């Protein structure tokens, strides 16, 4: 748990390079209620697309992997989803590959008969994926850019204790390292 929290803080603060990031998805104010369905789907589809690029996994298996990963994430995040305070639990919801396979990704891979060894060959060796209310972002490599896959606004009329995103908190200096880092978001 501590590793996930430390990797979350470090990752949210780093800025670097990434090739061909996925475009950001934006939904206007008043259209989101804080459910985790869209965020989980966005994250699972992203990991599935990374596997698809290898060309060695058949489409039915990819669909099973994606569905299994979504179910695992939904169960795992059930008591750790806080739309009123989006950064709360962010480290817990982080999917991470860094010389160890994330257990949720590993479970979905086992479901389709894919070994950890093969999974390490098909996915980046270092990947961090944050799944937060109203935002999904990722970083490939320790020095990769943080790229936003999905971003939306809370529903109109919802009062948020902490309206800023986790990246905004870092920019403002709350819960951040002593250095100032630039953050990158990708627009489609």
């Amino acid at each position: 748990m501590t590793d996930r929290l430390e990797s979350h803080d470090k990752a949210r603060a780093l800025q670097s390079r990434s090739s061909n990031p996925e475009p950001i998805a934006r939904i206007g104010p008043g259209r989101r209620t804080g459910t985790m369905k869209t965020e989980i789907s966005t994250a699972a589809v992203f990991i599935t697309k990374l596997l698809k690029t290898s060309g060695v996994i058949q489409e039915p298996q990819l669909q099973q992997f994606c569905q299994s990963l979504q179910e695992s994430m939904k169960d795992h995040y059930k008591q750790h989803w806080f739309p009123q305070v989006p950064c709360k639990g962010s480290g817990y919801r982080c999917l991470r590959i860094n010389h160890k396979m994330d257990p949720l990704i590993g479970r979905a891979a086992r479901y389709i008969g894919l070994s950890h060894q093969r999974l390490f060959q098909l996915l980046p060796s270092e990947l961090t994926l944050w799944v937060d209310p109203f935002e999904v972002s990722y970083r490939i490599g320790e020095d990769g850019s943080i790229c936003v896959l999905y971003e939306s606004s809370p529903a109109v009329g919802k009062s948020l204790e902490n309206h800023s995103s986790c990246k905004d908190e870092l920019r403002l200096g709350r819960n951040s390292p002593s250095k100032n880092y630039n953050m990158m978001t990708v627009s489609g």
Side-chain angles (χ1 to χ4, degrees):
M1 172 89 164
T2 303
D3 289 341
R4 284 181 176 248
L5 291 174
E6 288 173 3
S7 74
H8 169 265
D9 291 341
K10 182 178 178 184
R12 292 287 178 150
L14 290 174
Q15 184 242 356
S16 62
R17 304 155 310 280
S18 176
S19 61
N20 297 328
E22 294 287 318
I24 187 172
R26 292 183 191 266
I27 296 179
R31 297 178 65 189
R32 294 288 294 131
T33 61
T35 65
M36 63 179 121
K37 185 176 180 180
T38 302
E39 291 87 343
I40 286 174
S41 175
T42 299
V45 166
F46 177 71
I47 298 290
T48 304
K49 283 181 179 180
L50 290 175
L51 288 173
K52 186 176 185 171
T53 61
S54 70
V56 299
I57 303 174
Q58 300 297 316
E59 192 63 36
Q61 283 183 295
L62 289 168
Q63 290 174 3
Q64 289 176 337
F65 172 87
C66 189
Q67 182 64 34
S68 176
L69 182 57
Q70 287 181 62
E71 289 299 318
S72 292
M73 292 168 70
K74 182 179 149 193
D75 291 343
H76 189 68
Y77 299 168
K78 207 176 290 183
Q79 300 300 316
H80 300 274
W81 193 258
F82 309 99
Q84 298 294 358
V85 187
C87 288
K88 182 178 180 181
S90 186
Y92 183 84
R93 294 185 304 269
C94 175
L95 298 178
R96 182 95 167 108
I97 300 171
N98 187 8
H99 309 292
K100 288 193 293 184
M101 183 55 59
D102 185 272
L104 300 180
I105 297 171
R107 184 180 309 142
R110 280 192 307 276
Y111 182 74
I112 64 166
L114 200 59
S115 70
H116 270 92
Q117 180 182 4
R118 188 67 173 137
L119 195 56
F120 275 116
Q121 293 170 346
L122 299 174
L123 292 174
S125 59
E126 293 180 357
L127 171 68
T128 307
L129 184 64
W130 296 275
V131 184
D132 296 324
F134 314 113
E135 183 177 299
V136 177
S137 54
Y138 73 97
R139 182 188 69 195
I140 296 177
E142 283 299 313
D143 298 320
S145 296
I146 296 172
C147 300
V148 177
L149 292 170
Y150 167 82
E151 184 177 65
S152 72
S153 300
V156 172
K158 292 272 185 179
S159 171
L160 294 178
E161 292 174 22
N162 181 1
H163 188 282
S164 62
S165 74
C166 297
K167 285 194 284 296
D168 289 341
E169 286 188 15
L170 288 173
R171 285 187 195 115
L172 295 172
R174 287 180 260 156
N175 300 322
S176 66
S178 58
K179 296 180 183 177
N180 289 325
Y181 294 95
N182 294 322
M183 302 306 276
M184 178 181 132
T185 57
V186 179
S187 309

